[in-house]
Protein backbone atom coordinates (compact mmCIF):
# COMPACT_ATOMS: atom_id res chain seq x y z
CA UNK A 1 0.00 0.00 0.00
CA UNK A 2 1.19 3.50 -0.79
CA UNK A 3 2.32 4.93 2.57
CA UNK A 4 1.07 8.39 1.53
CA UNK A 5 -2.43 6.95 1.28
CA UNK A 6 -5.14 7.67 -1.29
CA UNK A 7 -6.03 11.34 -1.73
CA UNK A 8 -9.41 12.86 -0.95
CA UNK A 9 -10.43 12.88 -4.62
CA UNK A 10 -10.41 9.07 -4.68
CA UNK A 11 -12.26 8.77 -1.38
CA UNK A 12 -14.83 11.32 -2.56
CA UNK A 13 -15.51 9.16 -5.62
CA UNK A 14 -15.77 6.06 -3.43
CA UNK A 15 -18.25 7.79 -1.11
CA UNK A 16 -20.38 8.93 -4.05
CA UNK A 17 -20.47 5.44 -5.60
CA UNK A 18 -21.43 3.94 -2.24
CA UNK A 19 -24.31 6.39 -1.90
CA UNK A 20 -25.52 6.28 -5.51
CA UNK A 21 -24.97 2.62 -6.33
CA UNK A 22 -23.62 3.23 -9.82
CA UNK A 23 -20.76 5.02 -11.57
CA UNK A 24 -23.12 6.98 -13.82
CA UNK A 25 -25.27 8.39 -11.01
CA UNK A 26 -22.19 9.14 -8.90
CA UNK A 27 -20.56 10.90 -11.87
CA UNK A 28 -23.61 13.13 -12.32
CA UNK A 29 -23.63 13.94 -8.61
CA UNK A 30 -19.98 15.04 -8.65
CA UNK A 31 -20.00 16.64 -12.10
CA UNK A 32 -17.42 14.18 -13.45
CA UNK A 33 -17.42 11.67 -16.30
CA UNK A 34 -18.15 7.99 -15.81
CA UNK A 35 -14.69 6.93 -17.12
CA UNK A 36 -13.07 9.28 -14.58
CA UNK A 37 -15.10 7.72 -11.78
CA UNK A 38 -14.13 4.23 -12.90
CA UNK A 39 -10.47 5.23 -13.03
CA UNK A 40 -10.68 6.67 -9.50
CA UNK A 41 -12.12 3.41 -8.13
CA UNK A 42 -9.43 1.38 -9.91
CA UNK A 43 -6.71 3.66 -8.51
CA UNK A 44 -8.14 3.37 -5.02
CA UNK A 45 -8.24 -0.43 -5.24
CA UNK A 46 -4.64 -0.49 -6.50
CA UNK A 47 -3.42 1.79 -3.70
CA UNK A 48 -5.22 -0.17 -0.99
CA UNK A 49 -3.94 -3.50 -2.38
CA UNK A 50 -6.83 -5.34 -0.72
CA UNK A 51 -8.90 -6.46 -3.70
CA UNK A 52 -12.09 -5.23 -5.33
CA UNK A 53 -14.32 -2.68 -3.66
CA UNK A 54 -17.35 -3.33 -5.89
CA UNK A 55 -18.74 -6.17 -7.96
CA UNK A 56 -21.03 -5.68 -10.94
CA UNK A 57 -24.55 -7.10 -10.97
CA UNK A 58 -27.85 -6.55 -12.74
CA UNK A 59 -28.74 -4.07 -9.97
CA UNK A 60 -25.59 -2.01 -10.47
CA UNK A 61 -22.41 -1.94 -8.41
CA UNK A 62 -22.56 -4.01 -5.23
CA UNK A 63 -20.10 -3.08 -2.45
CA UNK A 64 -17.85 -5.79 -1.04
CA UNK A 65 -17.45 -6.38 2.69
CA UNK A 66 -14.33 -4.22 2.56
CA UNK A 67 -16.23 -1.36 0.92
CA UNK A 68 -18.96 -1.53 3.56
CA UNK A 69 -16.32 -1.42 6.30
CA UNK A 70 -14.66 1.62 4.71
CA UNK A 71 -17.92 3.49 4.01
CA UNK A 72 -18.44 5.11 7.47
CA UNK A 73 -14.90 6.51 7.40
CA UNK A 74 -15.42 7.92 3.90
CA UNK A 75 -18.71 9.47 5.05
CA UNK A 76 -16.89 11.12 7.96
CA UNK A 77 -14.28 12.50 5.54
CA UNK A 78 -17.03 13.85 3.28
CA UNK A 79 -18.78 15.52 6.23
CA UNK A 80 -15.50 17.07 7.37
CA UNK A 81 -14.73 18.33 3.87
CA UNK A 82 -18.18 19.90 3.57
CA UNK A 83 -17.78 21.48 7.01
CA UNK A 84 -14.45 22.99 5.92
CA UNK A 85 -16.15 24.60 2.92
CA UNK A 86 -18.98 25.96 5.10
CA UNK A 87 -16.52 27.31 7.67
CA UNK A 88 -14.55 29.10 4.95
CA UNK A 89 -17.70 30.55 3.34
CA UNK A 90 -17.53 33.77 5.39
CA UNK A 91 -15.61 35.34 8.31
CA UNK A 92 -16.68 34.18 11.77
CA UNK A 93 -18.08 37.61 12.66
CA UNK A 94 -20.15 38.01 9.48
CA UNK A 95 -23.93 37.62 9.18
CA UNK A 96 -23.37 35.72 5.93
CA UNK A 97 -22.07 32.39 4.72
CA UNK A 98 -23.34 28.82 4.72
CA UNK A 99 -25.23 27.09 7.56
CA UNK A 100 -26.40 23.47 7.29
CA UNK A 101 -29.58 22.56 9.20
CA UNK A 102 -30.78 19.03 9.93
CA UNK A 103 -34.44 18.25 10.66
CA UNK A 104 -37.00 15.49 10.21
CA UNK A 105 -38.92 15.37 6.95
CA UNK A 106 -42.13 16.67 8.54
CA UNK A 107 -40.42 19.53 10.39
CA UNK A 108 -38.32 20.42 7.35
CA UNK A 109 -41.20 20.42 4.89
CA UNK A 110 -44.12 21.57 7.06
CA UNK A 111 -42.65 23.82 9.77
CA UNK A 112 -39.28 25.28 8.82
CA UNK A 113 -40.08 26.99 5.47
CA UNK A 114 -41.78 30.10 6.97
CA UNK A 115 -39.15 30.25 9.73
CA UNK A 116 -36.35 30.16 7.15
CA UNK A 117 -38.15 32.66 4.91
CA UNK A 118 -38.29 35.15 7.80
CA UNK A 119 -34.63 34.45 8.57
CA UNK A 120 -33.65 35.04 4.94
CA UNK A 121 -35.47 38.36 4.79
CA UNK A 122 -33.58 39.54 7.88
CA UNK A 123 -30.19 38.13 6.75
CA UNK A 124 -30.08 37.78 2.96
CA UNK A 125 -26.35 37.04 3.06
CA UNK A 126 -26.98 33.63 4.61
CA UNK A 127 -27.01 30.48 2.49
CA UNK A 128 -29.03 27.73 4.15
CA UNK A 129 -28.61 24.01 3.48
CA UNK A 130 -31.51 21.89 4.67
CA UNK A 131 -30.87 18.21 5.36
CA UNK A 132 -34.16 16.33 5.78
CA UNK A 133 -33.71 12.98 7.48
CA UNK A 134 -35.57 10.95 10.08
CA UNK A 135 -32.26 9.58 11.34
CA UNK A 136 -30.11 11.51 13.82
CA UNK A 137 -27.42 13.63 12.18
CA UNK A 138 -24.04 13.56 13.91
CA UNK A 139 -23.29 17.15 14.90
CA UNK A 140 -19.88 16.27 16.28
CA UNK A 141 -18.93 14.84 12.90
CA UNK A 142 -20.46 17.97 11.32
CA UNK A 143 -23.07 16.18 9.23
CA UNK A 144 -24.92 19.42 9.96
CA UNK A 145 -24.18 22.60 11.88
CA UNK A 146 -27.50 22.89 13.70
CA UNK A 147 -30.22 20.29 14.24
CA UNK A 148 -33.89 20.33 15.17
CA UNK A 149 -34.24 17.19 17.27
CA UNK A 150 -37.33 15.39 18.56
CA UNK A 151 -35.31 13.50 21.18
CA UNK A 152 -32.94 14.97 23.74
CA UNK A 153 -29.39 15.05 22.37
CA UNK A 154 -27.07 12.78 24.34
CA UNK A 155 -23.69 13.72 22.85
CA UNK A 156 -21.32 15.84 24.86
CA UNK A 157 -19.91 19.14 23.55
CA UNK A 158 -23.28 20.28 22.22
CA UNK A 159 -25.11 23.54 22.87
CA UNK A 160 -28.71 22.45 23.42
CA UNK A 161 -31.95 24.41 23.92
CA UNK A 162 -35.32 22.86 24.76
CA UNK A 163 -38.27 24.71 23.20
CA UNK A 164 -41.18 22.64 24.56
CA UNK A 165 -43.37 19.78 23.39
CA UNK A 166 -45.51 19.36 20.29
CA UNK A 167 -48.84 17.66 20.87
CA UNK A 168 -49.83 14.73 18.66
CA UNK A 169 -53.29 13.43 17.94
CA UNK A 170 -55.41 11.38 15.55
CA UNK A 171 -57.04 13.52 12.86
CA UNK A 172 -59.33 13.02 9.88
CA UNK A 173 -61.12 15.21 7.35
CA UNK A 174 -64.64 16.30 8.20
CA UNK A 175 -66.04 14.82 4.99
CA UNK A 176 -64.39 11.45 5.69
CA UNK A 177 -66.01 11.34 9.13
CA UNK A 178 -69.35 12.48 7.73
CA UNK A 179 -69.57 9.51 5.37
CA UNK A 180 -68.18 6.96 7.85
CA UNK A 181 -69.49 5.17 10.91
CA UNK A 182 -69.35 7.14 14.18
CA UNK A 183 -66.26 6.88 16.40
CA UNK A 184 -67.07 6.89 20.09
CA UNK A 185 -64.44 4.53 21.52
CA UNK A 186 -61.11 3.03 20.29
CA UNK A 187 -62.76 -0.23 19.24
CA UNK A 188 -64.75 1.73 16.61
CA UNK A 189 -61.53 2.35 14.67
CA UNK A 190 -61.73 -1.22 13.44
CA UNK A 191 -64.41 -0.03 11.03
CA UNK A 192 -62.23 2.77 9.67
CA UNK A 193 -59.27 3.37 7.41
CA UNK A 194 -56.30 4.04 9.71
CA UNK A 195 -53.02 5.39 8.32
CA UNK A 196 -49.76 4.24 9.92
CA UNK A 197 -46.24 2.95 9.57
CA UNK A 198 -45.04 0.05 7.45
CA UNK A 199 -41.60 -1.24 8.52
CA UNK A 200 -40.41 1.54 10.82
CA UNK A 201 -40.30 -0.53 14.01
CA UNK A 202 -39.09 2.34 16.20
CA UNK A 203 -42.08 4.51 15.25
CA UNK A 204 -44.45 1.59 15.67
CA UNK A 205 -43.11 0.92 19.17
CA UNK A 206 -43.43 4.58 20.16
CA UNK A 207 -47.10 4.66 19.12
CA UNK A 208 -47.81 1.29 20.74
CA UNK A 209 -46.33 2.61 24.01
CA UNK A 210 -49.04 5.28 24.04
CA UNK A 211 -51.78 3.11 22.59
CA UNK A 212 -51.23 -0.64 23.12
CA UNK A 213 -54.45 -1.56 21.29
CA UNK A 214 -53.32 -0.04 18.03
CA UNK A 215 -55.79 -0.82 15.22
CA UNK A 216 -54.84 -2.49 11.96
CA UNK A 217 -53.42 -0.02 9.44
CA UNK A 218 -55.30 0.25 6.16
CA UNK A 219 -52.57 2.37 4.59
CA UNK A 220 -48.98 1.65 5.58
CA UNK A 221 -46.07 3.93 4.75
CA UNK A 222 -42.93 4.92 6.63
CA UNK A 223 -42.87 8.29 4.86
CA UNK A 224 -44.56 10.66 7.29
CA UNK A 225 -45.18 13.30 4.61
CA UNK A 226 -47.17 10.68 2.70
CA UNK A 227 -49.14 9.93 5.88
CA UNK A 228 -50.02 13.63 6.25
CA UNK A 229 -51.01 13.84 2.60
CA UNK A 230 -53.29 10.81 2.96
CA UNK A 231 -55.08 12.35 5.96
CA UNK A 232 -55.51 15.65 4.08
CA UNK A 233 -56.86 13.78 1.05
CA UNK A 234 -59.58 12.14 3.15
CA UNK A 235 -58.19 8.60 3.01
CA UNK A 236 -58.81 8.06 6.69
CA UNK A 237 -57.46 8.67 10.19
CA UNK A 238 -53.80 9.33 11.00
CA UNK A 239 -51.45 10.93 13.50
CA UNK A 240 -50.59 14.61 13.01
CA UNK A 241 -48.89 17.33 14.98
CA UNK A 242 -51.56 19.53 16.58
CA UNK A 243 -50.18 22.84 15.23
CA UNK A 244 -49.97 21.39 11.70
CA UNK A 245 -53.53 20.07 11.85
CA UNK A 246 -54.76 23.40 13.26
CA UNK A 247 -53.91 25.12 9.96
CA UNK A 248 -56.58 23.19 8.07
CA UNK A 249 -60.21 23.81 9.11
CA UNK A 250 -61.22 20.58 7.34
CA UNK A 251 -59.25 18.49 9.84
CA UNK A 252 -60.77 17.53 13.19
CA UNK A 253 -59.37 15.48 16.11
CA UNK A 254 -60.51 11.91 16.66
CA UNK A 255 -60.69 10.28 20.12
CA UNK A 256 -58.89 13.24 21.60
CA UNK A 257 -59.18 12.05 25.18
CA UNK A 258 -57.93 8.55 24.37
CA UNK A 259 -54.80 9.20 22.33
CA UNK A 260 -52.44 11.74 23.92
CA UNK A 261 -48.78 11.96 22.94
CA UNK A 262 -46.06 14.57 22.70
CA UNK A 263 -42.84 15.22 20.79
CA UNK A 264 -40.18 17.15 22.71
CA UNK A 265 -38.28 19.67 20.59
CA UNK A 266 -34.61 20.53 21.00
CA UNK A 267 -32.32 22.80 18.99
CA UNK A 268 -28.69 21.69 19.09
CA UNK A 269 -25.32 22.65 17.63
CA UNK A 270 -21.67 21.98 18.39
CA UNK A 271 -20.56 24.27 21.21
CA UNK A 272 -17.48 25.29 19.19
CA UNK A 273 -19.80 27.08 16.74
CA UNK A 274 -21.20 29.52 19.31
CA UNK A 275 -18.41 31.98 18.46
CA UNK A 276 -19.51 32.08 14.80
CA UNK A 277 -22.00 34.92 14.29
CA UNK A 278 -24.06 33.29 11.53
CA UNK A 279 -24.47 30.14 13.62
CA UNK A 280 -25.80 32.13 16.56
CA UNK A 281 -28.23 33.95 14.26
CA UNK A 282 -29.65 30.72 12.81
CA UNK A 283 -29.72 28.96 16.20
CA UNK A 284 -31.72 31.83 17.73
CA UNK A 285 -34.11 31.92 14.76
CA UNK A 286 -34.78 28.19 15.05
CA UNK A 287 -35.36 28.43 18.80
CA UNK A 288 -37.84 31.29 18.36
CA UNK A 289 -39.57 29.75 15.35
CA UNK A 290 -39.97 26.29 16.85
CA UNK A 291 -41.17 27.77 20.16
CA UNK A 292 -43.87 29.62 18.22
CA UNK A 293 -44.83 26.38 16.44
CA UNK A 294 -45.15 24.57 19.77
CA UNK A 295 -47.27 27.39 21.21
CA UNK A 296 -49.73 27.23 18.29
CA UNK A 297 -50.49 23.63 19.15
CA UNK A 298 -51.13 24.55 22.77
CA UNK A 299 -53.52 27.38 21.94
Amino acid sequence: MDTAGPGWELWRTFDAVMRMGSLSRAARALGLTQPTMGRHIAELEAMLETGALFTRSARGLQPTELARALAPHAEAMAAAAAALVRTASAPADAASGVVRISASEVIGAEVLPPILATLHRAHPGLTLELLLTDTTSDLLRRDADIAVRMTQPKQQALLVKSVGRIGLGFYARRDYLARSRPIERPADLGDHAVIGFDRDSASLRSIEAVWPDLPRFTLRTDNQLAQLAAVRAGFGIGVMQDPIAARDPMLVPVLRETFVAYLPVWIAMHEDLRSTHRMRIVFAALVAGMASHVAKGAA
Side-chain angles (χ1 to χ4, degrees):
M1 183 188 299
D2 188 338
T3 56
W8 164 238
E9 186 177 45
L10 302 185
W11 287 118
R12 184 179 71 145
T13 293
F14 168 77
D15 177 64
V17 175
M18 284 295 296
R19 288 185 290 105
M20 301 296 176
S22 77
L23 289 176
S24 59
R25 289 194 292 270
R28 288 194 294 272
L30 296 183
L32 300 174
T33 65
Q34 185 170 335
T36 298
M37 302 290 283
R39 187 172 65 253
H40 284 178
I41 294 298
E43 290 177 11
L44 182 59
E45 290 172 338
M47 295 185 74
L48 293 176
E49 298 178 357
T50 51
L53 293 171
F54 299 93
T55 58
R56 294 187 179 277
S57 73
R59 295 179 294 173
L61 292 181
Q62 299 300 308
T64 63
E65 288 296 325
L66 173 61
R68 284 191 283 269
L70 292 172
H73 304 289
E75 291 174 3
M77 293 174 69
L84 283 170
V85 173
R86 295 197 302 274
T87 301
S89 64
D93 60 352
S96 60
V98 182
V99 179
R100 187 170 180 82
I101 302 166
S102 171
S104 70
E105 290 186 343
V106 170
I107 293 296
E110 293 280 342
V111 182
L112 290 188
I115 297 172
L116 300 183
T118 300
L119 175 62
H120 173 68
R121 288 193 294 270
H123 301 282
L126 291 173
T127 298
L128 303 172
E129 297 179 350
L130 189 55
L131 171 63
L132 299 190
T133 175
D134 289 329
T135 61
T136 301
S137 299
D138 191 333
L139 296 179
L140 300 187
R141 197 177 69 175
R142 296 293 298 277
D143 289 345
D145 300 314
I146 304 174
V148 181
R149 295 270 180 86
M150 316 316 283
T151 57
Q152 184 174 1
K154 301 297 185 182
Q155 291 176 308
Q156 301 297 316
L158 293 182
L159 176 63
V160 177
K161 177 69 174 178
S162 171
V163 296
R165 302 187 304 172
I166 300 174
L168 300 175
F170 273 109
Y171 285 89
R173 278 179 61 99
R174 295 180 186 276
D175 50 357
Y176 168 83
L177 295 174
R179 65 175 182 268
S180 304
R181 301 183 70 172
I183 304 174
E184 298 176 351
R185 60 188 189 279
D188 294 335
L189 289 177
D191 298 324
H192 286 264
V194 180
I195 301 157
F197 292 95
D198 181 20
R199 300 180 180 179
D200 186 344
S201 57
S203 295
L204 285 168
R205 286 194 301 270
S206 65
I207 292 180
E208 288 171 348
V210 178
W211 196 342
D213 300 322
L214 198 65
R216 177 184 61 85
F217 294 143
T218 308
L219 174 61
R220 297 175 178 269
T221 174
D222 290 333
N223 187 300
Q224 295 186 44
L225 290 176
Q227 293 180 17
L228 299 187
V231 175
R232 288 169 171 152
F235 183 96
I237 301 164
V239 177
M240 295 186 74
Q241 294 182 19
D242 292 337
I244 292 177
R247 302 174 189 164
D248 189 341
M250 285 296 293
L251 297 179
V252 295
V254 174
L255 295 175
R256 191 57 175 169
E257 300 304 319
T258 303
F259 182 85
V260 180
Y262 298 93
L263 280 176
V265 184
W266 305 79
I267 312 299
M269 73 175 179
H270 197 298
E271 63 182 10
D272 289 349
L273 297 179
R274 71 169 74 208
S275 61
T276 304
H277 187 46
R278 65 180 179 276
M279 300 298 176
R280 294 199 305 272
I281 289 173
V282 176
F283 188 91
L286 291 174
V287 168
M290 290 304 301
S292 175
H293 176 67
V294 169
K296 289 174 183 175

